[in-house]
Amino acid sequence: MKIEKIDSILKKHEYRHSEIIGIMQDVQGIENYLPEGTLRYISEKLELSLTRIFDIVTFYKAFSLVPRGRHMIKVCCGTACHLGGAMQNLDRIKRTLHVREGETTEDRMFSLETVNCLGTCALAPVIQIGEDYHDAVIPGKIDNILAAYSAGHERQEVATD
Amino acid sequence: MKVPIIVDGLRVEIDQGTPIINAARKAGVFIPTLCYHEALKPYGSCRLCMVEVVHDKQRRLVTSCNFPAEGGMEVFTDTSRVRQIRRMIVELLLARCPEVLMIRTMAKQMGIESSMFKKREANECILCGLCVRFCEEVVGVSAIGLANRGIDREVATPFKVASDVCIGCGACTYICPTGCIEMVPDEKTPRLRRMKMGNLTLVPCTNNYQCESCPREENFLAEMKNVITEFRSTYRRFTEKK
Ligand code: SF4
Ligand code: SF4
Ligand code: FES
């Protein structure tokens, strides 16, 4: 991550120790994860020990120390989704993308995660990809849903170039 | 300001706002602790120091190592409620570290033969945070910290790589109540020793722990020595009493 960018984030938070979570959220918002070098730099600038930062980063599930995919797949495994076949959906995703929970595909397109409840039980079984919710998912639909994201991403790249 | 506090019927005076465990110590009443040390900021993680406090007509269970004293408080360290809680904590610790001698001694003294909780794979660290706080507050380098959460919580160096700030003072090995940070001979230079705790990589002391001829600051060494002597006597007191 560029030094100037980190500096501007730190400035926005007025170099306050109490804002460390906000700072890391901002970094992750840009980078998708928290690069080690960036954290070392932040620790130095804020004069906050690296052990403290490492403690916070590893404490919250929302932070990641490894690069994550462009699209975050969250498979809901709450009671309603579980009964509705969340596990079969999960298996299908794992087989299609060749990843396990907590991992990222080689092309950095998708990261897979399970969550315990997305709070939308009426739509069970639910899968959240990025900001989108997909309801009443069955294994047969999975490949199509995923393909739309892979394809959509490529179109976007062409458009911005 | 000094305020009066009654500990198990004994009246003592301590500074307002300081932990009530100090009152108990002053009154000569023993409270078992695992994560408390006078030289360090209270942390309140082991919960072993629970006592009952009566104040403003309220009666409640608190951790005495970090509960601030107010005038007129009455502290009870040996009620059935306190004993029950302590028993539970020791049983939990016993399930976590069945191999650790100190925990076993504690359990034995309380008449606990075996723990009713399921044993996890043997772990010696009780996450008291003494090593972490000592390294931060006294040594002043913060080479080790706590990481992760829940059952995965552990003592670790940042990014789990060899620490680049550890000075190899060995303080963490001395202060650890369960002895899970060991000093072992370095494989490459057996003359030197290094700290070992699972995957934790710390450095060997460049002076090979010959503290008497250490080029480091005298004040630091004096403080460290005090803390260590004190710490050991606390545990001796615990293992001898009751
Ligand atoms: S040996 Fe290293 S980790 Fe242990 S207290 Fe000293 S500086 Fe900290
Ligand atoms: S290593 Fe020892 S001192 Fe450090 S937290 Fe674990 S039990 Fe406590
Ligand atoms: S000594 Fe008070 S909680 Fe550990």
Side-chain angles (χ1 to χ4, degrees), chain A residues 1-12 26-27 30-31 38 41:
Chain A
M1 195 169 175
K2 281 220 181 71
I3 301 276
E4 301 86 64
K5 239 184 199 159
I6 311 174
D7 282 335
S8 78
I9 290 175
L10 292 178
K11 207 159 171 191
K12 182 180 135 202
D26 287 354
V27 171
I30 296 169
E31 291 287 301
T38 307
Y41 181 76

PDB file of all heavy atoms in Angstrom, chain A residues 1-12 26-27 30-31 38 41:
ATOM      1  N   MET A   1       0.850  -1.198   0.000  1.00  0.00           N
ATOM      2  CA  MET A   1       0.000   0.000   0.000  1.00  0.00           C
ATOM      3  C   MET A   1       0.886   1.249   0.000  1.00  0.00           C
ATOM      4  O   MET A   1       1.929   1.289   0.651  1.00  0.00           O
ATOM      5  CB  MET A   1      -0.868  -0.013   1.262  1.00  0.00           C
ATOM      6  CG  MET A   1      -2.010   0.942   1.189  1.00  0.00           C
ATOM      7  SD  MET A   1      -3.148   0.655   2.555  1.00  0.00           S
ATOM      8  CE  MET A   1      -4.277   1.993   2.288  1.00  0.00           C
ATOM      9  N   LYS A   2       0.443   2.249  -0.732  1.00  0.00           N
ATOM     10  CA  LYS A   2       1.242   3.468  -0.838  1.00  0.00           C
ATOM     11  C   LYS A   2       1.302   4.232   0.486  1.00  0.00           C
ATOM     12  O   LYS A   2       0.311   4.391   1.174  1.00  0.00           O
ATOM     13  CB  LYS A   2       0.629   4.379  -1.917  1.00  0.00           C
ATOM     14  CG  LYS A   2       0.974   3.956  -3.324  1.00  0.00           C
ATOM     15  CD  LYS A   2       1.273   5.206  -4.185  1.00  0.00           C
ATOM     16  CE  LYS A   2       1.607   4.810  -5.610  1.00  0.00           C
ATOM     17  NZ  LYS A   2       0.402   4.309  -6.336  1.00  0.00           N
ATOM     18  N   ILE A   3       2.501   4.703   0.806  1.00  0.00           N
ATOM     19  CA  ILE A   3       2.717   5.420   2.061  1.00  0.00           C
ATOM     20  C   ILE A   3       1.773   6.621   2.195  1.00  0.00           C
ATOM     21  O   ILE A   3       1.186   6.849   3.248  1.00  0.00           O
ATOM     22  CB  ILE A   3       4.191   5.926   2.141  1.00  0.00           C
ATOM     23  CG1 ILE A   3       5.154   4.750   2.049  1.00  0.00           C
ATOM     24  CG2 ILE A   3       4.415   6.739   3.394  1.00  0.00           C
ATOM     25  CD1 ILE A   3       5.432   4.027   3.322  1.00  0.00           C
ATOM     26  N   GLU A   4       1.620   7.364   1.096  1.00  0.00           N
ATOM     27  CA  GLU A   4       0.779   8.579   1.169  1.00  0.00           C
ATOM     28  C   GLU A   4      -0.645   8.206   1.561  1.00  0.00           C
ATOM     29  O   GLU A   4      -1.293   8.912   2.330  1.00  0.00           O
ATOM     30  CB  GLU A   4       0.725   9.325  -0.174  1.00  0.00           C
ATOM     31  CG  GLU A   4       2.067   9.785  -0.715  1.00  0.00           C
ATOM     32  CD  GLU A   4       2.752   8.713  -1.521  1.00  0.00           C
ATOM     33  OE1 GLU A   4       2.207   8.326  -2.564  1.00  0.00           O
ATOM     34  OE2 GLU A   4       3.831   8.237  -1.099  1.00  0.00           O
ATOM     35  N   LYS A   5      -1.093   7.082   1.013  1.00  0.00           N
ATOM     36  CA  LYS A   5      -2.462   6.652   1.293  1.00  0.00           C
ATOM     37  C   LYS A   5      -2.616   6.323   2.778  1.00  0.00           C
ATOM     38  O   LYS A   5      -3.587   6.709   3.420  1.00  0.00           O
ATOM     39  CB  LYS A   5      -2.791   5.425   0.448  1.00  0.00           C
ATOM     40  CG  LYS A   5      -3.981   5.678  -0.466  1.00  0.00           C
ATOM     41  CD  LYS A   5      -4.330   4.422  -1.198  1.00  0.00           C
ATOM     42  CE  LYS A   5      -5.172   4.708  -2.414  1.00  0.00           C
ATOM     43  NZ  LYS A   5      -5.104   3.592  -3.375  1.00  0.00           N
ATOM     44  N   ILE A   6      -1.632   5.602   3.307  1.00  0.00           N
ATOM     45  CA  ILE A   6      -1.707   5.246   4.730  1.00  0.00           C
ATOM     46  C   ILE A   6      -1.669   6.523   5.559  1.00  0.00           C
ATOM     47  O   ILE A   6      -2.445   6.701   6.495  1.00  0.00           O
ATOM     48  CB  ILE A   6      -0.526   4.340   5.163  1.00  0.00           C
ATOM     49  CG1 ILE A   6      -0.360   3.182   4.194  1.00  0.00           C
ATOM     50  CG2 ILE A   6      -0.741   3.827   6.567  1.00  0.00           C
ATOM     51  CD1 ILE A   6       0.865   2.323   4.471  1.00  0.00           C
ATOM     52  N   ASP A   7      -0.765   7.417   5.181  1.00  0.00           N
ATOM     53  CA  ASP A   7      -0.656   8.675   5.928  1.00  0.00           C
ATOM     54  C   ASP A   7      -1.974   9.434   5.949  1.00  0.00           C
ATOM     55  O   ASP A   7      -2.361   9.994   6.974  1.00  0.00           O
ATOM     56  CB  ASP A   7       0.453   9.553   5.322  1.00  0.00           C
ATOM     57  CG  ASP A   7       1.833   9.080   5.762  1.00  0.00           C
ATOM     58  OD1 ASP A   7       1.911   8.449   6.843  1.00  0.00           O
ATOM     59  OD2 ASP A   7       2.809   9.322   5.034  1.00  0.00           O
ATOM     60  N   SER A   8      -2.657   9.439   4.806  1.00  0.00           N
ATOM     61  CA  SER A   8      -3.904  10.205   4.776  1.00  0.00           C
ATOM     62  C   SER A   8      -4.960   9.543   5.657  1.00  0.00           C
ATOM     63  O   SER A   8      -5.754  10.222   6.310  1.00  0.00           O
ATOM     64  CB  SER A   8      -4.402  10.396   3.335  1.00  0.00           C
ATOM     65  OG  SER A   8      -5.008   9.224   2.870  1.00  0.00           O
ATOM     66  N   ILE A   9      -4.941   8.212   5.708  1.00  0.00           N
ATOM     67  CA  ILE A   9      -5.884   7.521   6.599  1.00  0.00           C
ATOM     68  C   ILE A   9      -5.559   7.868   8.056  1.00  0.00           C
ATOM     69  O   ILE A   9      -6.429   8.205   8.852  1.00  0.00           O
ATOM     70  CB  ILE A   9      -5.820   5.990   6.397  1.00  0.00           C
ATOM     71  CG1 ILE A   9      -6.398   5.616   5.034  1.00  0.00           C
ATOM     72  CG2 ILE A   9      -6.591   5.266   7.504  1.00  0.00           C
ATOM     73  CD1 ILE A   9      -6.284   4.153   4.685  1.00  0.00           C
ATOM     74  N   LEU A  10      -4.268   7.828   8.387  1.00  0.00           N
ATOM     75  CA  LEU A  10      -3.862   8.124   9.757  1.00  0.00           C
ATOM     76  C   LEU A  10      -4.229   9.552  10.139  1.00  0.00           C
ATOM     77  O   LEU A  10      -4.668   9.832  11.244  1.00  0.00           O
ATOM     78  CB  LEU A  10      -2.352   7.911   9.926  1.00  0.00           C
ATOM     79  CG  LEU A  10      -1.865   6.468   9.817  1.00  0.00           C
ATOM     80  CD1 LEU A  10      -0.353   6.409   9.945  1.00  0.00           C
ATOM     81  CD2 LEU A  10      -2.500   5.604  10.906  1.00  0.00           C
ATOM     82  N   LYS A  11      -4.068  10.443   9.178  1.00  0.00           N
ATOM     83  CA  LYS A  11      -4.370  11.848   9.429  1.00  0.00           C
ATOM     84  C   LYS A  11      -5.860  12.014   9.694  1.00  0.00           C
ATOM     85  O   LYS A  11      -6.270  12.718  10.611  1.00  0.00           O
ATOM     86  CB  LYS A  11      -3.954  12.670   8.217  1.00  0.00           C
ATOM     87  CG  LYS A  11      -3.606  14.089   8.574  1.00  0.00           C
ATOM     88  CD  LYS A  11      -2.750  14.687   7.497  1.00  0.00           C
ATOM     89  CE  LYS A  11      -2.577  16.174   7.723  1.00  0.00           C
ATOM     90  NZ  LYS A  11      -1.974  16.795   6.543  1.00  0.00           N
ATOM     91  N   LYS A  12      -6.655  11.337   8.855  1.00  0.00           N
ATOM     92  CA  LYS A  12      -8.109  11.404   9.008  1.00  0.00           C
ATOM     93  C   LYS A  12      -8.500  11.016  10.433  1.00  0.00           C
ATOM     94  O   LYS A  12      -9.422  11.570  11.016  1.00  0.00           O
ATOM     95  CB  LYS A  12      -8.753  10.455   8.000  1.00  0.00           C
ATOM     96  CG  LYS A  12     -10.271  10.464   8.010  1.00  0.00           C
ATOM     97  CD  LYS A  12     -10.826   9.489   6.972  1.00  0.00           C
ATOM     98  CE  LYS A  12     -11.956   8.671   7.547  1.00  0.00           C
ATOM     99  NZ  LYS A  12     -12.180   7.416   6.841  1.00  0.00           N
ATOM    100  N   ASP A  26     -10.395   1.127   7.303  1.00  0.00           N
ATOM    101  CA  ASP A  26     -10.121   1.909   6.101  1.00  0.00           C
ATOM    102  C   ASP A  26      -9.066   1.236   5.223  1.00  0.00           C
ATOM    103  O   ASP A  26      -9.202   1.174   4.010  1.00  0.00           O
ATOM    104  CB  ASP A  26      -9.652   3.327   6.474  1.00  0.00           C
ATOM    105  CG  ASP A  26     -10.813   4.167   6.992  1.00  0.00           C
ATOM    106  OD1 ASP A  26     -11.953   3.674   6.945  1.00  0.00           O
ATOM    107  OD2 ASP A  26     -10.572   5.306   7.438  1.00  0.00           O
ATOM    108  N   VAL A  27      -8.013   0.728   5.874  1.00  0.00           N
ATOM    109  CA  VAL A  27      -6.965   0.052   5.104  1.00  0.00           C
ATOM    110  C   VAL A  27      -7.556  -1.164   4.404  1.00  0.00           C
ATOM    111  O   VAL A  27      -7.353  -1.384   3.214  1.00  0.00           O
ATOM    112  CB  VAL A  27      -5.793  -0.393   6.023  1.00  0.00           C
ATOM    113  CG1 VAL A  27      -4.825  -1.281   5.259  1.00  0.00           C
ATOM    114  CG2 VAL A  27      -5.074   0.818   6.586  1.00  0.00           C
ATOM    115  N   ILE A  30      -9.591  -0.566   1.303  1.00  0.00           N
ATOM    116  CA  ILE A  30      -8.860  -0.317   0.065  1.00  0.00           C
ATOM    117  C   ILE A  30      -8.154  -1.580  -0.418  1.00  0.00           C
ATOM    118  O   ILE A  30      -8.224  -1.949  -1.580  1.00  0.00           O
ATOM    119  CB  ILE A  30      -7.800   0.799   0.291  1.00  0.00           C
ATOM    120  CG1 ILE A  30      -8.506   2.117   0.636  1.00  0.00           C
ATOM    121  CG2 ILE A  30      -6.934   0.972  -0.954  1.00  0.00           C
ATOM    122  CD1 ILE A  30      -7.578   3.201   1.143  1.00  0.00           C
ATOM    123  N   GLU A  31      -7.487  -2.268   0.492  1.00  0.00           N
ATOM    124  CA  GLU A  31      -6.634  -3.389   0.107  1.00  0.00           C
ATOM    125  C   GLU A  31      -7.333  -4.742   0.124  1.00  0.00           C
ATOM    126  O   GLU A  31      -6.778  -5.714  -0.372  1.00  0.00           O
ATOM    127  CB  GLU A  31      -5.422  -3.467   1.049  1.00  0.00           C
ATOM    128  CG  GLU A  31      -4.460  -2.332   0.893  1.00  0.00           C
ATOM    129  CD  GLU A  31      -3.662  -2.432  -0.385  1.00  0.00           C
ATOM    130  OE1 GLU A  31      -2.973  -3.433  -0.553  1.00  0.00           O
ATOM    131  OE2 GLU A  31      -3.748  -1.502  -1.210  1.00  0.00           O
ATOM    132  N   THR A  38       2.127  -2.717   5.890  1.00  0.00           N
ATOM    133  CA  THR A  38       1.282  -1.582   6.259  1.00  0.00           C
ATOM    134  C   THR A  38       1.094  -1.523   7.769  1.00  0.00           C
ATOM    135  O   THR A  38       1.185  -0.456   8.378  1.00  0.00           O
ATOM    136  CB  THR A  38      -0.088  -1.701   5.564  1.00  0.00           C
ATOM    137  OG1 THR A  38       0.129  -1.880   4.173  1.00  0.00           O
ATOM    138  CG2 THR A  38      -0.933  -0.471   5.800  1.00  0.00           C
ATOM    139  N   TYR A  41       4.153  -0.267   9.428  1.00  0.00           N
ATOM    140  CA  TYR A  41       4.277   1.181   9.255  1.00  0.00           C
ATOM    141  C   TYR A  41       3.336   1.913  10.214  1.00  0.00           C
ATOM    142  O   TYR A  41       3.738   2.872  10.881  1.00  0.00           O
ATOM    143  CB  TYR A  41       3.959   1.545   7.801  1.00  0.00           C
ATOM    144  CG  TYR A  41       4.068   3.007   7.497  1.00  0.00           C
ATOM    145  CD1 TYR A  41       5.312   3.618   7.346  1.00  0.00           C
ATOM    146  CD2 TYR A  41       2.928   3.802   7.379  1.00  0.00           C
ATOM    147  CE1 TYR A  41       5.413   4.960   7.083  1.00  0.00           C
ATOM    148  CE2 TYR A  41       3.020   5.153   7.110  1.00  0.00           C
ATOM    149  CZ  TYR A  41       4.264   5.733   6.956  1.00  0.00           C
ATOM    150  OH  TYR A  41       4.368   7.077   6.699  1.00  0.00           O
TER     151      TYR A  41
END
